[in-house]
Amino acid sequence: MHRSRLRRLVTLAGLTGLFVLPGLGAQELDHAPLAIDPTLSFSALLEQTLRHAPNALEGPAREAEARDMNALGGSWIAGRPSVQLDAIDDRLLNNLGQRELTWGVALPLWRPGERRAMQARGAQYEAQVAAWEDAFTLDIAGQLRRALADMAQADAVLAAEQLATADARELVRIAELRFAAGDIAERELLQARALLLTQQRNELTAEAVRVDAERLYATLTGLQARPASLPLEVVSAQDSVPESHPLLRLLRADVAVADAEIAKAEADARGAPTLTLGTRRQRAGLFADYEDALAVSLNVPLGGRAHVNAATSAERRSKVDAEVRRATAHRALDLQLHEVEHELFVLAEALPLSEEQAQLARRQWEMARAAFEAGETDIGQVVVALQQTRLSARELETSTLRHARLIAEFNQILGVLP
């Protein structure tokens, strides 16, 4: 809307005391509509929105974590090697010349099967990354679907209000002609003008709603252009949530990772056998020769099952929590699917009735306007007909867009992208 027209409407409504729009500031009123780009496809919008999303930073971190876990499973030793040094020297005591120096490298060893378990752990983290990417894409697609649907609904409501404003303006024109001809009293003319002011206020409110919808879209996508229309979607042929649903795959991957963390915690709690390889250099006294020998030692932790269980209890509880989240999410998706499916059925049956009602209301308004122009009725009946036309048209547009939104929600719940 041009700024001059807005200023005229604000001044006109303000003089009558009818302009009441709480929280609507000058910045919102001056907000220009987003540019329409007919080349913007949903896939291009989704790709842009994925890059713009704050959660996109999580992807590289998850990939790095999976690489690190894979590297751990590929190592030939179970931990970090260390250098050990032991020295014996009696020069500060009886000084008999006894010397002994032992040094070596301590290598933590895998217990049987532990290396394969750590390799499987790395694979589970890789699978979790892939599942997270699909779930993240689906979540952003859902946000984008809702933003586009909100803008489409705001556009439809605004168009209906603009049409009603044009009708109200036509009614004022007729009333002014009849008042000038002396056919009606000034009271009826003022009633027509009050109706126009009220309708102009409704139009401004609808414009403010569109501003909010476009601002949410721009924040989500980082774009200052929008597609010309909603993506055309058809109801998916599936009738139940598949196990391959991205969210369920991610939650199953979380369970698998939690299970792998139990194995890791058990290995840490049991401790790793340690092999130390080195040399020993010693002499018995001042007049003895140094003796060199190879030093090998093996340290194997034993027992302690109670300590292992205590150390892994938190990980086992985390696995149960992950299983609960997966089962709860599956149940919630099933419930949402059936609710949307039922509403889709009801709305599909009601849409033809809403369309017929809107046509009848429009016809009644045209007849009432013609009768008022011919002096066959008073303005009260015309006002009622105009208000009914506005409500019917708005209900039809809202129901039609609600039907398209429900189709998108149905596909979103099933994990299907446009």
Side-chain angles (χ1 to χ4, degrees), residues 211-269:
V211 167
D212 292 339
E214 288 188 341
R215 180 174 298 150
L216 176 62
Y217 164 85
T219 302
L220 180 66
T221 62
L223 297 175
Q224 294 301 315
R226 51 175 290 190
S229 60
L230 279 173
L232 181 61
E233 296 193 47
V234 296
V235 178
S236 174
Q238 301 179 36
D239 58 357
S240 61
V241 179
E243 289 295 330
S244 60
H245 190 284
L247 177 58
L248 298 182
R249 282 180 48 219
L250 175 60
L251 295 176
R252 283 199 305 273
D254 291 344
V255 173
V257 167
D259 193 38
E261 289 299 324
I262 293 175
K264 178 65 167 59
E266 288 179 346
D268 292 341

Side-chain angles (χ1 to χ4, degrees), residues 368-407:
R369 181 187 61 187
F372 178 70
E373 189 172 8
E376 299 174 356
T377 185
D378 59 18
I379 197 170
Q381 295 181 357
V382 184
V383 169
V384 171
L386 179 57
Q387 291 174 338
Q388 185 61 42
T389 300
R390 170 182 171 270
L391 293 176
S392 299
R394 183 166 181 169
E395 181 181 354
L396 176 60
E397 291 292 341
T398 302
S399 298
T400 302
L401 290 171
R402 178 61 181 166
H403 188 262
R405 183 192 289 264
L406 286 174
I407 292 176

Side-chain angles (χ1 to χ4, degrees), residues 317-376:
R317 189 179 66 250
S318 296
K319 179 185 176 182
V320 173
D321 291 342
E323 290 174 339
V324 170
R325 287 194 299 271
R326 184 201 62 78
T328 302
H330 200 169
R331 181 177 297 180
L333 287 173
D334 280 333
L335 182 61
Q336 293 170 14
L337 183 67
H338 291 300
E339 289 178 349
V340 171
E341 188 176 22
H342 175 71
E343 189 175 354
L344 262 175
F345 173 79
V346 173
L347 193 55
E349 295 291 324
L351 269 177
L353 302 178
S354 297
E355 184 176 358
E356 184 177 359
Q357 183 179 9
Q359 292 174 353
L360 292 176
R362 187 70 188 175
R363 179 59 181 160
Q364 288 175 351
W365 148 246
E366 292 172 352
M367 293 174 62
R369 181 187 61 187
F372 178 70
E373 189 172 8
E376 299 174 356

Side-chain angles (χ1 to χ4, degrees), residues 143-220:
Q143 296 182 39
L144 184 57
R145 277 167 159 159
R146 288 189 291 273
L148 293 175
D150 288 343
M151 285 196 302
Q153 181 171 350
D155 290 340
V157 171
L158 178 58
E161 298 295 351
Q162 288 173 339
L163 178 60
T165 300
D167 291 336
R169 188 174 289 109
E170 175 65 13
L171 179 60
V172 170
R173 185 190 68 81
I174 296 172
E176 288 175 343
L177 290 176
R178 291 196 60 193
F179 176 72
D183 294 339
I184 61 173
E186 186 179 4
R187 176 183 59 82
E188 293 184 277
L189 175 60
L190 294 177
Q191 188 175 356
R193 288 176 176 173
L195 177 64
L196 174 59
L197 292 176
T198 300
Q199 184 52 46
Q200 288 172 333
R201 183 184 64 182
N202 293 336
E203 183 179 339
L204 288 175
T205 302
E207 287 187 353
V209 173
R210 187 182 66 174
V211 167
D212 292 339
E214 288 188 341
R215 180 174 298 150
L216 176 62
Y217 164 85
T219 302
L220 180 66

